[in-house]
Amino acid sequence: MARYNAKESERKWQAAWIAAQSFLTPTDSAKPKCYVLEMFPYPSGRIHMGHVRNYTMGDVIARFKRAQGFNVLHPMGWDAFGLPAENAARDNVSSGKNSGINPREWTYANIAAMRSELQALGLAIDWTREFATCDPEYYKHQQRLFLDFYKDELVYRSEADVNWDPVDLTVLANEQVIDGKGWRSGAAVERRKLSQWFFRITKYSDELLRALDGLEKWPEKVRLMQKNWIGRSEGLRFAFELSNLTKLDVFTTRPDTLFGASFVALSPDHPLTEELAKSDEKLRDFIAECRKVGTAEAEIETAEKLGYDTGLTAAHPFDPAWKLPVMVANFVLMGYGTGAIFGCPAHDQRDWDFARKYRLPILPVVMPADAEGFDVQQAPYVGPGKLANSRFLDGLDVEAAKAEIAARLEARGVGKRTVNYRLRDWLASRQRAWGCPIPMIHCAKCGVVPVKQVDLPVRLPDDLNFNVRGNPLDAHPTFKHTTCPSCGGPATRDTDTLDTFVDSSWYFARFADPTASEPVNREAVNYWLPVDQYIGGIEHAILHLLYARFFTRAMHETGWTTLDEPFAALFTQGMVCHETYQGASGNWIEPAEIEKRDGKAYLRGTGTEVTVGHSEKMSKSKKNTIAPMGMIDVFGADAIRWFMLSDSPPERDVDWSEAGAEGCWKFVQRIWRLVSEAEGLPAPGTKIGEATGAALELRQATHRAIAAVTDDLAHLRFNRAVAQIYALANAITAASGVDGAARREALEAIVLMVGPMMPHLAETSWEALGHTTMLVDTPWPAAIAALTKSDTVTLAVQVNGKRRGEIVLAPGAGEAATRAAALADEDVKRVLDGKTPKKIIVVPNRIVNIVV
RNA sequence: GCGGGCGUGGUGGAACUGGUAGACGCGCUGGACUCAAAAUCCAGUACCGCAAGGUGUGUCGGUUCGAUUCCGACCGCCCGCACCA
């Protein structure tokens, strides 16, 4: 029999699946639904190994669920707006080549290329639902949602301090600033005051937090990250009276320490600070100093506390004669709480550092139960204890003291218990041309006026000139100028576009019916959503997943859906890594140029040794990428898919290796040999008679494998399913002489189970086994319970916890019989050497432990 | 600094709620087939030991008849947040 021809098989079955639309397009709504979705890709031009891993996993689930009788939706689209397209257009302009190219053409060309690459993987995707977020047919509906949100005050415009990325020349959301740098450009973010559009995500702070508990099929890690990001803390907000006769609001989570206060501190960005700075040059210098440290040098100057005494004092709320100095301190953030605090150095590390430096008193007010070594002059104490030096609080524990202070201040009307969140509203304006235009118009007379719904979409012009500084949309000759929908007078459009995370915040709902004349088809959304299994990278744990959760709630509130959570189950897969290679000058070298001889790495065809570095996520900058298409060409799509599922648990990183891919390719051939060289098989559908001996063993191996693989796939344990399939292949090899019916059963089972993972090989094998209908139309095999059980069970016999012998019994043998068999075992007897057991523990079907 | 996770053979990793540690793959060793090689097939492969036996899941301790699994301390690695009052 000929070798398995992967290329021919792939061509044949990919065409056949698409021709049989019933396979890819869900139709039968009488079956239970299952919506399988992988995070859609940015159309960069070609797929990478990370895509291969992500989409292979999704495909396995989709095919598995379909075989199990679910009505499966498994769509694909394109997260198509974004900066790379603009950069490509700009490069083309500056180099003078292809001056006709624009982001739209660049993007759609990339989509076409990547679509054919994904199809080469044999993914069972319903391509009839495909769309790109840059299609006006998509972003028109997004603009509609924006207007609806605006109507319901879930969108608002505000002047605010914003994060300005000086390289990408745009603003960024808080979530997109990482270590003070832009998430994309890596440039140190600057602060600017600009009037921008915000999504009121903080309206749902509490809901987004509480609902995390219900997301039981999400990784604990992601839930925790979101929880920390939302950052709920309970505390007290109250006012100090200042010596200039104004009031100052502060927020604290430790009102119990109020009698240990030794200063009040303002953020350098606090309005009062700014007010005072008008007549205080030194303060102005100090603020400038703080801003410098606060942004660019944030990491270097970590611990240094800086303060400035304003000369004002604040009266202690429970003792007007007690005056606290009012300082400006660099460690107080305007963005959290009220931007002002009181400092209690004895019980807070930062306050302690600050008090040390500026020689402020450190007064202990919380005493630990064990006072040994307790000295707040040496270090702050943040643990539990009883209050002291605190007048009416003395003797109370921390929680009781918090309640008492809060109650007294609330009664006087100067304080209020509040819940504070770290989460800020989502700044969604971007000064970019290749994005969804914000459907708003600025009129000198009427102010900000929404575009009328009938005028949607606000369409991006095709003739953008990228040879300008700043936003090309702003510089466009006609886009900007329009008339006011309200008064009809001349007006200008908002030339900002929406953050591309908006595009990906509701695409999963659009897939339910991508041709709907409204943003979503309510009936289709109610049927398909939530997504039953969502799969993507951990890097989206906060940004994308939090925004999508917000959008789902906002769409609910504006009447578009009836659901709160978009993704019932989430799986975050690991990355694909590869060794890195560096030449003598530290230059990165591609794997293709490397040759390995006797454990060392050399430049191919030379004697030049190169340094082998750690395995890292495949990236262009380290040049350690492997192009999936080249590997598919060599090993076939199935072998590459198999590799992505083997060995490493799916949530962990996997190391790409050519040897591993080769091993997978060998297994493809092995399955093919088992199937194509099988002789003496009865016709498909032949009933199996009573099996005994080797045939029974094969049948048991088959049904145990079915049970195990089914369970593993249901729990996304692809690596374990793979191991079970190897074991079954070994059993089939070992049983080459047994009864044909049992072998047919085993071969059909292994082919069906390989189906979701290596679909082309499976179809070809299925056909070779004599079937005339496609494997994808065949139900998942069912394990026969009687055959998954064994008629004997081997128990270990321990003496004092050490394994000394083995006994073989019928399953379900009673405690007495098990005990007797254990004591009768020759090995055990020898070890016991006549001694009388003190105690015998019998765990039926598992183990016996004899204690002497 | 705070929060979370992970440490198992030469290697990737198995081991369900505490119950025979190392499934399965890679690699390696030996054999068969071959003029030879590749491919394939068969056998072996935690460590020490000829063997009987002993030792083993980062380290130390605890709970238990029994611990990779539970608890405590420490060491190492990874991830997230970071002056959050």
Side-chain angles (χ1 to χ4, degrees):
Chain A
M1 185 65 85
R3 210 165 226 234
Y4 174 70
N5 184 333
K7 283 206 173 71
E8 195 184 295
S9 170
E10 286 164 20
R11 207 175 306 123
K12 175 177 173 179
W13 297 112
Q14 284 166 18
W17 295 327
I18 288 177
Q21 269 300 331
S22 63
F23 169 52
L24 301 174
T25 303
T27 43
D28 187 352
S29 58
K31 297 175 180 173
K33 70 96 181 177
C34 183
Y35 184 179
V36 180
L37 184 66
E38 301 95 62
M39 293 179 185
F40 67 165
Y42 177 79
S44 57
R46 48 190 39 185
I47 62 170
H48 53 67
M49 281 294 177
H51 290 130
V52 176
R53 197 171 189 211
N54 192 184
Y55 299 131
T56 297
M57 287 180 191
D59 199 45
V60 170
I61 298 167
R63 286 173 178 270
F64 172 63
K65 288 288 183 183
R66 187 172 188 283
Q68 284 198 313
F70 286 86
N71 190 31
V72 172
L73 174 58
H74 187 216
M76 180 61 70
W78 308 95
D79 189 11
F81 276 133
L83 210 44
E86 283 189 51
N87 290 339
R90 196 165 272 128
D91 285 349
N92 279 299
V93 168
S94 58
S95 66
K97 292 179 297 188
N98 302 324
S99 53
I101 204 164
N102 65 29
R104 189 174 55 79
E105 287 167 15
W106 183 87
T107 302
Y108 281 102
N110 285 349
I111 288 174
M114 286 176 74
R115 184 193 301 116
S116 74
E117 293 189 355
L118 290 179
Q119 285 171 342
L121 278 171
L123 302 176
I125 282 168
D126 181 2
W127 289 103
T128 65
R129 291 176 193 248
E130 175 190 0
F131 61 79
T133 56
C134 64
D135 298 340
E137 263 310 300
Y138 181 76
Y139 68 69
K140 152 175 126 180
H141 300 295
Q142 186 160 301
Q143 291 170 339
R144 169 78 189 278
L145 291 174
F146 187 90
L147 295 177
D148 280 8
F149 289 6
Y150 179 71
K151 223 179 293 166
D152 277 14
E153 296 181 3
L154 291 164
V155 161
Y156 66 94
R157 189 170 174 81
S158 166
E159 170 141 317
D161 267 340
V162 298
N163 307 301
W164 179 259
D165 186 322
V167 168
D168 283 351
L169 297 174
T170 186
V171 300
L172 297 173
N174 287 328
E175 288 83 352
Q176 293 166 336
V177 180
I178 293 146
D179 291 338
K181 299 190 170 73
W183 70 295
R184 180 152 219 139
S185 69
V189 166
E190 295 168 4
R191 240 174 326 184
R192 291 202 178 179
K193 252 195 176 28
L194 285 174
S195 195
Q196 301 280 285
W197 290 103
F198 289 84
F199 284 107
R200 203 182 297 279
I201 188 169
T202 56
K203 177 170 182 183
Y204 303 109
S205 295
D206 197 48
E207 259 189 69
L208 288 168
L209 179 69
R210 275 188 296 126
L212 285 172
D213 291 336
L215 298 176
E216 283 159 14
K217 293 183 188 168
W218 280 42
E220 192 55 46
K221 182 185 169 76
V222 174
R223 293 198 279 172
L224 190 69
M225 280 167 75
Q226 292 215 352
K227 189 178 165 208
N228 291 338
W229 188 264
I230 295 166
R232 180 182 200 273
S233 58
E234 287 179 15
L236 180 73
R237 189 181 283 231
F238 67 94
F240 278 100
E241 301 216 5
L242 301 188
S243 51
N244 65 356
L245 303 180
T246 62
K247 287 187 197 289
L248 176 69
D249 258 334
V250 300
F251 175 75
T252 180
T253 56
R254 291 297 302 273
D256 55 303
T257 63
L258 189 51
F259 289 100
S262 55
F263 62 96
V264 167
L266 300 168
S267 164
D269 303 309
H270 196 280
L272 176 58
T273 310
E274 285 172 5
E275 183 63 35
L276 293 170
K278 283 181 188 162
S279 55
D280 185 343
E281 197 189 332
K282 279 187 184 161
L283 180 51
R284 286 200 293 275
D285 291 345
F286 178 78
I287 294 169
E289 179 90 346
C290 291
R291 292 231 163 111
K292 235 192 314 181
V293 173
T295 56
E297 305 296 321
E299 284 171 293
I300 303 161
E301 301 282 347
T302 41
E304 185 70 7
K305 303 275 181 291
L306 297 174
Y308 179 88
D309 193 338
T310 62
L312 293 176
T313 60
H316 193 284
F318 290 101
D319 186 349
W322 182 355
K323 304 293 186 194
L324 300 166
V326 177
M327 316 277 288
V328 176
N330 64 342
F331 65 90
V332 182
L333 307 175
M334 193 55 223
Y336 190 79
T338 62
I341 60 160
F342 76 81
C344 174
H347 305 290
D348 182 280
Q349 183 70 51
R350 288 156 309 160
D351 296 347
W352 189 88
D353 293 343
F354 191 77
R356 268 296 159 118
K357 182 157 180 182
Y358 295 100
R359 297 176 187 284
L360 297 160
I362 302 173
L363 178 69
V365 291
V366 179
M367 300 298 171
D370 175 13
E372 193 174 335
F374 174 78
D375 182 2
V376 293
Q377 306 306 320
Q378 298 304 311
Y381 174 72
V382 295
K386 297 237 187 284
L387 274 284
N389 304 325
S390 297
R391 308 189 188 185
F392 54 86
L393 298 177
D394 284 353
L396 295 178
D397 66 25
V398 167
E399 288 312 311
K402 281 180 183 174
E404 180 63 24
I405 288 259
R408 291 195 184 214
L409 288 177
E410 279 182 338
R412 274 166 43 192
V414 294
K416 188 165 174 30
R417 268 176 271 222
T418 54
V419 176
N420 203 51
Y421 295 91
R422 209 186 82 107
L423 184 68
R424 333 289 12 256
D425 278 335
W426 173 14
L427 167 54
S429 305
R430 293 293 179 276
Q431 290 68 48
R432 303 258 57 109
W434 188 236
C436 172
I438 294 175
M440 289 289 177
I441 290 168
H442 301 274
C443 171
K445 242 168 55 190
C446 313
V448 175
V449 185
V451 172
K452 286 205 171 108
Q453 199 184 307
V454 293
D455 293 331
L456 296 182
V458 177
R459 201 178 273 270
L460 278 178
D462 270 339
D463 53 343
L464 290 165
N465 177 10
F466 284 87
N467 207 7
V468 296
R469 204 173 147 73
N471 183 358
L473 210 45
D474 200 40
H476 190 269
T478 56
F479 175 82
K480 190 172 178 177
H481 304 286
T482 185
T483 51
C484 173
S486 174
C487 69
T492 57
R493 289 190 187 284
D494 203 308
T495 58
D496 288 350
T497 54
L498 290 172
D499 184 358
T500 56
F501 278 104
V502 179
D503 311 335
S504 53
S505 288
W506 68 286
Y507 76 106
F508 45 86
R510 184 74 187 162
F511 275 137
D513 180 359
T515 60
S517 58
E518 296 189 304
V520 295
N521 169 341
R522 287 181 181 81
E523 197 186 340
V525 163
N526 286 339
Y527 175 70
W528 284 113
L529 264 59
V531 174
D532 294 279
Q533 183 64 61
Y534 197 39
I535 312 173
I538 186 79
E539 66 272 20
H540 293 110
I542 294 173
L543 291 165
H544 163 57
L545 290 168
L546 192 61
Y547 292 151
R549 295 181 64 217
F550 159 71
F551 239 77
T552 304
R553 283 179 163 72
M555 286 174 75
H556 188 166
E557 184 158 336
T558 49
W560 289 108
T561 74
T562 53
L563 100 157
D564 290 327
E565 287 294 337
F567 312 121
L570 172 70
F571 188 83
T572 53
Q573 98 275 3
M575 296 180 296
V576 182
C577 301
H578 195 280
E579 278 182 342
T580 51
Y581 309 102
Q582 276 179 294
S585 56
N587 54 310
W588 302 102
I589 304 167
E590 290 177 20
E593 293 175 39
I594 300 295
E595 186 173 40
K596 290 208 170 167
R597 298 193 295 264
D598 33 87
K600 290 178 181 170
Y602 300 91
L603 263 183
R604 189 172 289 281
T606 71
T608 315
E609 203 180 330
V610 300
T611 312
V612 180
H614 277 126
S615 187
E616 290 183 51
K617 179 189 179 177
M618 287 188 182
S619 72
K620 279 183 203 151
S621 61
K622 301 261 169 84
K623 289 197 178 171
N624 61 340
T625 56
I626 301 287
M629 297 318 286
M631 293 296 119
I632 288 174
D633 203 43
V634 176
F635 299 110
D638 287 330
I640 303 310
R641 291 170 62 118
W642 190 250
F643 184 100
M644 288 297 146
L645 302 166
S646 306
D647 288 351
S648 282
E651 68 277 9
R652 238 182 269 182
D653 291 352
V654 64
D655 269 318
W656 173 266
S657 77
E658 193 112 345
E662 218 161 291
C664 294
W665 182 76
K666 284 181 186 173
F667 187 64
V668 169
Q669 295 298 340
R670 187 172 166 209
I671 295 268
W672 176 240
R673 269 198 319 277
L674 283 177
V675 168
S676 63
E677 293 173 5
E679 285 172 359
L681 298 185
T686 306
K687 248 180 127 56
I688 306 185
E690 191 74 14
T692 53
L696 177 61
E697 276 176 35
L698 179 59
R699 292 206 70 194
Q700 288 176 333
T702 300
H703 286 274
R704 280 184 204 136
I706 293 171
V709 170
T710 305
D711 190 50
D712 286 336
L713 288 186
H715 294 95
L716 277 54
R717 297 186 295 240
F718 306 112
N719 57 320
R720 280 165 58 173
V722 163
Q724 297 293 348
I725 286 169
Y726 273 115
L728 181 55
N730 291 344
I732 294 172
T733 302
S736 61
V738 310
D739 174 64
R743 278 188 300 128
R744 166 168 285 282
E745 181 186 47
L747 287 168
E748 291 198 348
I750 201 169
V751 166
L752 286 169
M753 291 194 290
V754 153
M757 305 192 239
M758 301 199 279
H760 314 89
L761 169 69
E763 286 288 4
T764 298
S765 301
W766 192 244
E767 192 177 56
L769 284 170
H771 291 277
T772 50
T773 54
M774 284 200 291
L775 179 139
V776 293
D777 289 323
T778 311
W780 190 252
I784 298 172
L787 288 168
T788 61
K789 287 181 199 131
S790 175
D791 40 13
T792 60
V793 46
T794 307
L795 288 81
V797 182
Q798 299 180 331
V799 177
N800 288 338
K802 279 197 182 8
R803 197 170 82 82
R804 296 297 183 180
E806 254 178 27
I807 50 175
V808 178
L809 298 170
E815 200 172 321
T818 305
R819 176 192 306 248
L823 289 170
D825 186 76
E826 289 302 325
D827 291 327
V828 174
K829 273 201 235 168
R830 193 160 35 82
V831 175
L832 286 178
D833 196 23
K835 277 175 268 183
T836 320
K838 279 186 205 145
K839 191 176 177 187
I840 301 177
I841 289 111
V842 177
V843 183
N845 300 328
R846 283 196 185 269
I847 205 162
V848 179
N849 193 6
I850 301 168
V851 186
V852 291

